[in-house]
Amino acid sequence: MESNNTTSVKIGNMDIKVDGLESADYIKKVADYVDSRIKEAARSGLYKRSSNEFRDIAVMMNIADDYFKSKDLSDSLLDQISAKDSEIYDLKHDIIAAKIKKDADDKEIDDLKKEINRLKKSLIRMENNNE
């Protein structure tokens, strides 16, 4: 069973302790991200003149916006990967089909070469019998 990591972080000028299953580095990375979004929002004049409740909602909306944009990008990339996987599968199938056809063509060529040699020998025998 995994144990909780308690990590001290600073978010919005507050030192807080965060418990989580993730590594301390990951928890700090998340805290730094939230802190940067708070600082970015704080640069807005509207943010400075708003209630704490509005400020919290504004930051949460910005973070949710980042999340959905990242999720959309991730979904799009997964779709592209899936399409590429399908294309690779189709190309592999085409390669296998082409190899099977080549093998069949090679066999036919060998058979025709054998037939030509047989006919040449037969022709030589016929010419020798006519002499």
Side-chain angles (χ1 to χ4, degrees):
M1 180 169 193
E2 295 183 40
S3 61
N4 279 5
N5 292 317
T6 301
T7 306
S8 296
V9 296
K10 187 169 187 163
I11 300 175
N13 297 323
M14 294 185 342
D15 291 319
I16 59 174
K17 289 188 179 192
V18 177
D19 286 333
L21 296 176
E22 292 80 8
S23 69
D25 286 341
Y26 179 79
I27 292 170
K28 287 178 181 176
K29 180 179 175 180
V30 171
D32 288 345
Y33 172 75
V34 171
D35 187 56
S36 73
R37 294 305 277 154
I38 290 170
K39 287 177 180 173
E40 183 180 323
R43 288 192 286 268
S44 161
L46 178 61
Y47 183 87
K48 292 175 185 174
R49 295 186 306 270
S50 300
S51 68
N52 286 341
E53 192 173 75
F54 177 83
R55 290 176 182 181
D56 292 344
I57 290 171
V59 170
M60 287 186 280
M61 289 291 292
N62 287 336
I63 291 171
D65 179 53
D66 291 345
Y67 166 79
F68 283 107
K69 285 178 180 174
S70 295
K71 179 154 181 13
D72 287 347
L73 177 60
S74 173
D75 291 345
S76 173
L77 292 173
L78 288 173
D79 289 345
Q80 289 177 25
I81 289 170
S82 179
K84 295 294 181 189
D85 284 346
S86 179
E87 185 179 347
I88 288 169
Y89 175 84
D90 291 344
L91 290 171
K92 284 181 179 179
H93 182 269
D94 291 347
I95 289 170
I96 291 168
K99 183 174 181 345
I100 290 170
K101 182 172 180 349
K102 180 194 174 296
D103 291 347
D105 290 346
D106 288 346
K107 183 181 181 324
E108 184 178 358
I109 289 169
D110 286 343
D111 291 346
L112 290 171
K113 284 179 179 178
K114 288 177 186 174
E115 180 66 12
I116 289 170
N117 285 334
R118 187 189 66 76
L119 290 171
K120 281 181 180 178
K121 288 178 184 176
S122 177
L123 180 61
I124 291 171
R125 272 193 306 263
M126 289 171 71
E127 287 175 348
N128 287 338
N129 286 341
N130 286 337
E131 291 177 0

